[in-house]
Amino acid sequence: MSGENPDVTRFGRIDDDGTVYVKTSAGERVIGSWQAGTPDEGLAHFARRYDDLVTEVDLVAARLNSDSADPTSTAAAIKKLRSGLDEAHAIGDLDALAARLDELATRVEAKVSEAREAKTAARAEAVARKEALAAEAEGLAENSTQWKAAGDRIKEISEEWKAIHGADRKHDQALWKRFATARDAFTRRRGAHFASLDSERKVIATRKEELIAEAEQLSGSTDWGATADQLKGLMREWKAAGRVAPDAEQKLWKRFRAAQDVFFSARSEAFSARDAELKDNLTAKRELLATAEAIDVDADPKAAQSKLREIQGQWDEIGRVPKESAGALQRRLRAMDGKVRAAMDIAWRRTPVSENPLLEQMREQVDKAERQLERAKNDGDAKRIKQAEEALANKRQFLNLAEKAQ
């Protein structure tokens, strides 16, 4: 129902003293007072409020139809909208809107149940996989005499374990304790075996070969922080392993050190390249910012808004800049954004009142999400970048839906 719909009187009225009533199946209800114009203008005003409610319901319905939306938060939004209808200060077919929300509530409850069942199934699968890994480790710890192969397998089990998520805390801790006990038991049994060998140096040489292999495996890694820590750990293990004969020790050390040098040299080159890239990005963003600040906002606010959005998209694509420059650049871009928004606000006040005020709030949410993504990129936090990109995509999707519905 639109604010200009002549059937608005089916759902509400304004009496002579300006009291506003909405009509529902439960009867009439006072929702406010209108003194600012004619009764027809008052009815149109409260009808537009109803249109706003319809837009909110359309958005939550779109969320429900989206596979990426969290059904629990969608259910909460539906519940909030439904509970607010009894006190809504709007004129329109509130009974129909309530029926629609009730239907959405039924659908979302089914999705919540599905998500809960999927989570339960995933938890059971995770527990079962870790149970199998713990049992395998216990078998190796008790029976295997293939020390290298068994040791490698236990390391593989440890890596596989880390990749399994979703087990409940109680089972996870109990199973990890079993695995850790088996791993420690295997290590002790292997140590006892090597201790029984005639030559302690053979044991040391074997361990150092393992450390070299691990270092060589890590030498090509580009996970700079984690790998550097691992290589430092390998260095501590190397020093703790003892020494073999001088000539053999020197040969082993050269191989071990060479593997480390490959990694640290590559890391140094990567950091230099990254610094150069950040500087190039800084130059590009400064040029882009100059373009943004040259926009004639007052001449055509809407065109200015469109151009600024295009620039903001290019801004995100450019990537990170040096941290010491990021804040100042972002403040200048936000200032330009604020200037455009202020001009749009003035323009909107001159447009028909049928414009949807909810859109401004949604645009602010998109702007906030864009700033959060920028900060995440500047911090180089991959996890936060992914979360911020997903949040921004969702907010932009909902804004597009709302703008199309307007």
Side-chain angles (χ1 to χ4, degrees), residues 55-270:
T55 297
E56 290 190 64
V57 174
D58 289 342
L59 290 175
V60 82
R63 286 173 57 186
L64 180 58
N65 293 328
S66 172
D67 293 334
S68 61
D70 174 27
T72 302
S73 62
T74 303
I78 292 172
K79 182 178 179 181
K80 181 179 179 181
L81 284 171
R82 182 63 180 87
S83 64
L85 284 186
D86 292 339
E87 302 296 330
H89 292 184
I91 293 178
D93 194 350
L94 294 179
D95 291 333
L97 200 57
R100 185 181 178 196
L101 284 169
D102 290 341
E103 186 270 336
L104 291 175
T106 300
R107 287 174 54 199
V108 79
E109 182 58 33
K111 283 203 171 187
V112 169
S113 297
E114 290 174 3
R116 189 181 299 116
E117 290 173 1
K119 185 176 181 180
T120 299
R123 182 184 298 115
E125 181 184 359
V127 169
R129 290 175 63 189
K130 288 193 173 183
E131 169 73 34
L133 290 176
E136 182 183 356
E138 288 168 343
L140 291 173
E142 183 176 355
N143 302 313
S144 178
T145 57
Q146 301 297 317
W147 307 113
K148 180 66 168 63
D152 289 344
R153 178 54 190 153
I154 286 179
K155 290 178 183 178
E156 291 171 0
I157 289 174
S158 179
E159 293 303 314
E160 291 178 29
W161 192 287
K162 294 175 185 177
I164 299 172
H165 305 287
D168 62 277
R169 184 178 181 85
K170 180 179 178 181
H171 284 93
D172 195 55
Q173 288 182 336
L175 290 170
W176 175 255
K177 185 176 181 180
R178 283 177 56 189
F179 169 72
T181 299
R183 179 191 58 193
D184 293 344
F186 172 81
T187 301
R188 288 192 299 270
R189 195 163 64 88
R190 181 177 59 181
H193 169 76
F194 285 134
S196 67
L197 297 179
D198 295 336
S199 174
E200 182 180 357
R201 284 184 172 178
K202 183 177 180 180
V203 176
I204 296 173
T206 299
R207 179 57 187 146
K208 289 197 169 182
E209 287 288 348
E210 293 175 351
L211 292 174
I212 290 170
E214 292 182 47
E216 290 173 343
Q217 186 176 9
L218 292 170
S219 64
S221 173
T222 56
D223 188 2
W224 309 119
T227 305
D229 289 340
Q230 287 178 276
L231 288 173
K232 290 176 183 177
L234 293 181
M235 177 66 78
R236 289 191 294 270
E237 291 188 56
W238 182 279
K239 293 178 180 178
R243 298 177 65 85
V244 296
D247 289 344
E249 179 69 20
Q250 186 177 12
K251 291 178 181 179
L252 290 170
W253 170 251
K254 285 183 178 180
R255 292 169 55 200
F256 180 70
R257 189 63 191 175
Q260 293 207 351
D261 288 342
V262 168
F263 169 79
F264 286 110
S265 295
R267 186 182 70 164
S268 179
E269 293 175 3

